[in-house]
mmCIF file with all atom_site columns, all heavy atoms in Angstrom:
data_model
loop_
_atom_site.group_PDB
_atom_site.id
_atom_site.type_symbol
_atom_site.label_atom_id
_atom_site.label_alt_id
_atom_site.label_comp_id
_atom_site.label_asym_id
_atom_site.label_entity_id
_atom_site.label_seq_id
_atom_site.pdbx_PDB_ins_code
_atom_site.Cartn_x
_atom_site.Cartn_y
_atom_site.Cartn_z
_atom_site.occupancy
_atom_site.B_iso_or_equiv
_atom_site.pdbx_formal_charge
_atom_site.auth_seq_id
_atom_site.auth_comp_id
_atom_site.auth_asym_id
_atom_site.auth_atom_id
_atom_site.pdbx_PDB_model_num
ATOM 1   N N   . ARG A 1 70 ? -5.294  -2.793 23.308 1.00 97.00 ? 838 ARG A N   1
ATOM 2   C CA  . ARG A 1 70 ? -5.568  -2.810 24.749 1.00 97.00 ? 838 ARG A CA  1
ATOM 3   C C   . ARG A 1 70 ? -5.180  -1.456 25.354 1.00 97.00 ? 838 ARG A C   1
ATOM 4   O O   . ARG A 1 70 ? -4.493  -0.659 24.713 1.00 97.00 ? 838 ARG A O   1
ATOM 5   C CB  . ARG A 1 70 ? -4.786  -3.935 25.404 1.00 97.00 ? 838 ARG A CB  1
ATOM 6   C CG  . ARG A 1 70 ? -5.176  -5.300 24.850 1.00 97.00 ? 838 ARG A CG  1
ATOM 7   C CD  . ARG A 1 70 ? -4.499  -6.452 25.559 1.00 97.00 ? 838 ARG A CD  1
ATOM 8   N NE  . ARG A 1 70 ? -4.826  -7.710 24.923 1.00 97.00 ? 838 ARG A NE  1
ATOM 9   C CZ  . ARG A 1 70 ? -5.963  -8.377 25.030 1.00 97.00 ? 838 ARG A CZ  1
ATOM 10  N NH1 . ARG A 1 70 ? -6.929  -7.879 25.782 1.00 97.00 ? 838 ARG A NH1 1
ATOM 11  N NH2 . ARG A 1 70 ? -6.162  -9.522 24.418 1.00 97.00 ? 838 ARG A NH2 1
ATOM 12  N N   . PRO A 1 71 ? -5.589  -1.207 26.608 1.00 96.00 ? 839 PRO A N   1
ATOM 13  C CA  . PRO A 1 71 ? -5.243  0.066  27.245 1.00 96.00 ? 839 PRO A CA  1
ATOM 14  C C   . PRO A 1 71 ? -3.751  0.365  27.158 1.00 96.00 ? 839 PRO A C   1
ATOM 15  O O   . PRO A 1 71 ? -2.919  -0.527 27.318 1.00 96.00 ? 839 PRO A O   1
ATOM 16  C CB  . PRO A 1 71 ? -5.666  -0.143 28.705 1.00 96.00 ? 839 PRO A CB  1
ATOM 17  C CG  . PRO A 1 71 ? -6.745  -1.167 28.640 1.00 96.00 ? 839 PRO A CG  1
ATOM 18  C CD  . PRO A 1 71 ? -6.347  -2.089 27.514 1.00 96.00 ? 839 PRO A CD  1
ATOM 19  N N   . ASN A 1 72 ? -3.449  1.613  26.850 1.00 96.00 ? 840 ASN A N   1
ATOM 20  C CA  . ASN A 1 72 ? -2.089  2.140  26.763 1.00 96.00 ? 840 ASN A CA  1
ATOM 21  C C   . ASN A 1 72 ? -1.287  1.659  25.561 1.00 96.00 ? 840 ASN A C   1
ATOM 22  O O   . ASN A 1 72 ? -0.121  2.022  25.430 1.00 96.00 ? 840 ASN A O   1
ATOM 23  C CB  . ASN A 1 72 ? -1.308  1.896  28.060 1.00 96.00 ? 840 ASN A CB  1
ATOM 24  C CG  . ASN A 1 72 ? -1.956  2.604  29.219 1.00 96.00 ? 840 ASN A CG  1
ATOM 25  O OD1 . ASN A 1 72 ? -2.271  3.795  29.127 1.00 96.00 ? 840 ASN A OD1 1
ATOM 26  N ND2 . ASN A 1 72 ? -2.193  1.881  30.297 1.00 96.00 ? 840 ASN A ND2 1
ATOM 27  N N   . ASP A 1 73 ? -1.876  0.831  24.691 1.00 98.00 ? 841 ASP A N   1
ATOM 28  C CA  . ASP A 1 73 ? -1.186  0.488  23.446 1.00 98.00 ? 841 ASP A CA  1
ATOM 29  C C   . ASP A 1 73 ? -1.003  1.759  22.624 1.00 98.00 ? 841 ASP A C   1
ATOM 30  O O   . ASP A 1 73 ? -1.859  2.652  22.615 1.00 98.00 ? 841 ASP A O   1
ATOM 31  C CB  . ASP A 1 73 ? -1.985  -0.509 22.608 1.00 98.00 ? 841 ASP A CB  1
ATOM 32  C CG  . ASP A 1 73 ? -1.820  -1.953 23.039 1.00 98.00 ? 841 ASP A CG  1
ATOM 33  O OD1 . ASP A 1 73 ? -0.923  -2.240 23.856 1.00 98.00 ? 841 ASP A OD1 1
ATOM 34  O OD2 . ASP A 1 73 ? -2.596  -2.801 22.547 1.00 98.00 ? 841 ASP A OD2 1
ATOM 35  N N   . THR A 1 74 ? 0.110   1.825  21.935 1.00 98.00 ? 842 THR A N   1
ATOM 36  C CA  . THR A 1 74 ? 0.352   2.891  20.968 1.00 98.00 ? 842 THR A CA  1
ATOM 37  C C   . THR A 1 74 ? 0.304   2.244  19.592 1.00 98.00 ? 842 THR A C   1
ATOM 38  O O   . THR A 1 74 ? 0.794   1.130  19.398 1.00 98.00 ? 842 THR A O   1
ATOM 39  C CB  . THR A 1 74 ? 1.720   3.551  21.207 1.00 98.00 ? 842 THR A CB  1
ATOM 40  O OG1 . THR A 1 74 ? 1.731   4.098  22.534 1.00 98.00 ? 842 THR A OG1 1
ATOM 41  C CG2 . THR A 1 74 ? 1.982   4.662  20.208 1.00 98.00 ? 842 THR A CG2 1
ATOM 42  N N   . PHE A 1 75 ? -0.307  2.951  18.660 1.00 98.00 ? 843 PHE A N   1
ATOM 43  C CA  . PHE A 1 75 ? -0.415  2.403  17.307 1.00 98.00 ? 843 PHE A CA  1
ATOM 44  C C   . PHE A 1 75 ? -0.275  3.518  16.288 1.00 98.00 ? 843 PHE A C   1
ATOM 45  O O   . PHE A 1 75 ? -0.408  4.699  16.597 1.00 98.00 ? 843 PHE A O   1
ATOM 46  C CB  . PHE A 1 75 ? -1.739  1.646  17.126 1.00 98.00 ? 843 PHE A CB  1
ATOM 47  C CG  . PHE A 1 75 ? -2.970  2.496  17.262 1.00 98.00 ? 843 PHE A CG  1
ATOM 48  C CD1 . PHE A 1 75 ? -3.594  3.033  16.146 1.00 98.00 ? 843 PHE A CD1 1
ATOM 49  C CD2 . PHE A 1 75 ? -3.512  2.767  18.510 1.00 98.00 ? 843 PHE A CD2 1
ATOM 50  C CE1 . PHE A 1 75 ? -4.724  3.817  16.275 1.00 98.00 ? 843 PHE A CE1 1
ATOM 51  C CE2 . PHE A 1 75 ? -4.646  3.545  18.656 1.00 98.00 ? 843 PHE A CE2 1
ATOM 52  C CZ  . PHE A 1 75 ? -5.264  4.075  17.529 1.00 98.00 ? 843 PHE A CZ  1
ATOM 53  N N   . VAL A 1 76 ? 0.037   3.112  15.068 1.00 98.00 ? 844 VAL A N   1
ATOM 54  C CA  . VAL A 1 76 ? 0.130   4.065  13.972 1.00 98.00 ? 844 VAL A CA  1
ATOM 55  C C   . VAL A 1 76 ? -1.036  3.788  13.027 1.00 98.00 ? 844 VAL A C   1
ATOM 56  O O   . VAL A 1 76 ? -1.358  2.635  12.721 1.00 98.00 ? 844 VAL A O   1
ATOM 57  C CB  . VAL A 1 76 ? 1.499   4.004  13.254 1.00 98.00 ? 844 VAL A CB  1
ATOM 58  C CG1 . VAL A 1 76 ? 1.744   2.653  12.612 1.00 98.00 ? 844 VAL A CG1 1
ATOM 59  C CG2 . VAL A 1 76 ? 1.633   5.122  12.235 1.00 98.00 ? 844 VAL A CG2 1
ATOM 60  N N   . SER A 1 77 ? -1.684  4.864  12.618 1.00 98.00 ? 845 SER A N   1
ATOM 61  C CA  . SER A 1 77 ? -2.791  4.802  11.675 1.00 98.00 ? 845 SER A CA  1
ATOM 62  C C   . SER A 1 77 ? -2.280  5.335  10.346 1.00 98.00 ? 845 SER A C   1
ATOM 63  O O   . SER A 1 77 ? -1.819  6.480  10.266 1.00 98.00 ? 845 SER A O   1
ATOM 64  C CB  . SER A 1 77 ? -3.953  5.657  12.197 1.00 98.00 ? 845 SER A CB  1
ATOM 65  O OG  . SER A 1 77 ? -5.025  5.660  11.290 1.00 98.00 ? 845 SER A OG  1
ATOM 66  N N   . ARG A 1 78 ? -2.336  4.501  9.322  1.00 98.00 ? 846 ARG A N   1
ATOM 67  C CA  . ARG A 1 78 ? -1.811  4.874  8.001  1.00 98.00 ? 846 ARG A CA  1
ATOM 68  C C   . ARG A 1 78 ? -2.944  4.972  6.995  1.00 98.00 ? 846 ARG A C   1
ATOM 69  O O   . ARG A 1 78 ? -3.911  4.210  7.067  1.00 98.00 ? 846 ARG A O   1
ATOM 70  C CB  . ARG A 1 78 ? -0.772  3.861  7.542  1.00 98.00 ? 846 ARG A CB  1
ATOM 71  C CG  . ARG A 1 78 ? 0.447   3.880  8.431  1.00 98.00 ? 846 ARG A CG  1
ATOM 72  C CD  . ARG A 1 78 ? 1.555   2.986  7.920  1.00 98.00 ? 846 ARG A CD  1
ATOM 73  N NE  . ARG A 1 78 ? 2.727   3.147  8.750  1.00 98.00 ? 846 ARG A NE  1
ATOM 74  C CZ  . ARG A 1 78 ? 3.307   2.155  9.410  1.00 98.00 ? 846 ARG A CZ  1
ATOM 75  N NH1 . ARG A 1 78 ? 2.858   0.921  9.314  1.00 98.00 ? 846 ARG A NH1 1
ATOM 76  N NH2 . ARG A 1 78 ? 4.365   2.391  10.161 1.00 98.00 ? 846 ARG A NH2 1
ATOM 77  N N   . LEU A 1 79 ? -2.779  5.875  6.036  1.00 98.00 ? 847 LEU A N   1
ATOM 78  C CA  . LEU A 1 79 ? -3.851  6.190  5.103  1.00 98.00 ? 847 LEU A CA  1
ATOM 79  C C   . LEU A 1 79 ? -3.311  6.294  3.684  1.00 98.00 ? 847 LEU A C   1
ATOM 80  O O   . LEU A 1 79 ? -2.246  6.870  3.457  1.00 98.00 ? 847 LEU A O   1
ATOM 81  C CB  . LEU A 1 79 ? -4.459  7.517  5.554  1.00 98.00 ? 847 LEU A CB  1
ATOM 82  C CG  . LEU A 1 79 ? -5.478  8.245  4.724  1.00 98.00 ? 847 LEU A CG  1
ATOM 83  C CD1 . LEU A 1 79 ? -6.385  9.039  5.650  1.00 98.00 ? 847 LEU A CD1 1
ATOM 84  C CD2 . LEU A 1 79 ? -4.829  9.179  3.729  1.00 98.00 ? 847 LEU A CD2 1
ATOM 85  N N   . ALA A 1 80 ? -4.061  5.739  2.748  1.00 98.00 ? 848 ALA A N   1
ATOM 86  C CA  . ALA A 1 80 ? -3.824  5.933  1.316  1.00 98.00 ? 848 ALA A CA  1
ATOM 87  C C   . ALA A 1 80 ? -5.130  6.452  0.724  1.00 98.00 ? 848 ALA A C   1
ATOM 88  O O   . ALA A 1 80 ? -6.208  6.185  1.260  1.00 98.00 ? 848 ALA A O   1
ATOM 89  C CB  . ALA A 1 80 ? -3.413  4.618  0.646  1.00 98.00 ? 848 ALA A CB  1
ATOM 90  N N   . VAL A 1 81 ? -5.031  7.198  -0.361 1.00 97.00 ? 849 VAL A N   1
ATOM 91  C CA  . VAL A 1 81 ? -6.232  7.762  -0.975 1.00 97.00 ? 849 VAL A CA  1
ATOM 92  C C   . VAL A 1 81 ? -6.179  7.594  -2.490 1.00 97.00 ? 849 VAL A C   1
ATOM 93  O O   . VAL A 1 81 ? -5.119  7.711  -3.102 1.00 97.00 ? 849 VAL A O   1
ATOM 94  C CB  . VAL A 1 81 ? -6.418  9.254  -0.588 1.00 97.00 ? 849 VAL A CB  1
ATOM 95  C CG1 . VAL A 1 81 ? -5.257  10.103 -1.046 1.00 97.00 ? 849 VAL A CG1 1
ATOM 96  C CG2 . VAL A 1 81 ? -7.742  9.805  -1.103 1.00 97.00 ? 849 VAL A CG2 1
ATOM 97  N N   . LYS A 1 82 ? -7.336  7.281  -3.059 1.00 96.00 ? 850 LYS A N   1
ATOM 98  C CA  . LYS A 1 82 ? -7.497  7.155  -4.511 1.00 96.00 ? 850 LYS A CA  1
ATOM 99  C C   . LYS A 1 82 ? -8.777  7.883  -4.896 1.00 96.00 ? 850 LYS A C   1
ATOM 100 O O   . LYS A 1 82 ? -9.614  8.192  -4.061 1.00 96.00 ? 850 LYS A O   1
ATOM 101 C CB  . LYS A 1 82 ? -7.598  5.685  -4.937 1.00 96.00 ? 850 LYS A CB  1
ATOM 102 C CG  . LYS A 1 82 ? -6.455  4.808  -4.483 1.00 96.00 ? 850 LYS A CG  1
ATOM 103 C CD  . LYS A 1 82 ? -5.234  5.014  -5.323 1.00 96.00 ? 850 LYS A CD  1
ATOM 104 C CE  . LYS A 1 82 ? -4.168  4.018  -4.886 1.00 96.00 ? 850 LYS A CE  1
ATOM 105 N NZ  . LYS A 1 82 ? -2.871  4.549  -4.771 1.00 96.00 ? 850 LYS A NZ  1
ATOM 106 N N   . LYS A 1 83 ? -8.966  8.091  -6.193 1.00 96.00 ? 851 LYS A N   1
ATOM 107 C CA  . LYS A 1 83 ? -10.164 8.772  -6.694 1.00 96.00 ? 851 LYS A CA  1
ATOM 108 C C   . LYS A 1 83 ? -10.681 8.011  -7.891 1.00 96.00 ? 851 LYS A C   1
ATOM 109 O O   . LYS A 1 83 ? -9.920  7.567  -8.732 1.00 96.00 ? 851 LYS A O   1
ATOM 110 C CB  . LYS A 1 83 ? -9.803  10.217 -7.091 1.00 96.00 ? 851 LYS A CB  1
ATOM 111 C CG  . LYS A 1 83 ? -10.942 11.004 -7.716 1.00 96.00 ? 851 LYS A CG  1
ATOM 112 C CD  . LYS A 1 83 ? -11.568 11.887 -6.700 1.00 96.00 ? 851 LYS A CD  1
ATOM 113 C CE  . LYS A 1 83 ? -12.736 12.724 -7.091 1.00 96.00 ? 851 LYS A CE  1
ATOM 114 N NZ  . LYS A 1 83 ? -13.103 13.080 -8.351 1.00 96.00 ? 851 LYS A NZ  1
#
Side-chain angles (χ1 to χ4, degrees):
R838 299 185 185 284
N840 298 311
D841 278 349
T842 300
F843 63 96
V844 62
S845 178
R846 295 186 175 122
L847 172 151
V849 61
K850 305 283 185 223
K851 176 99 182 340

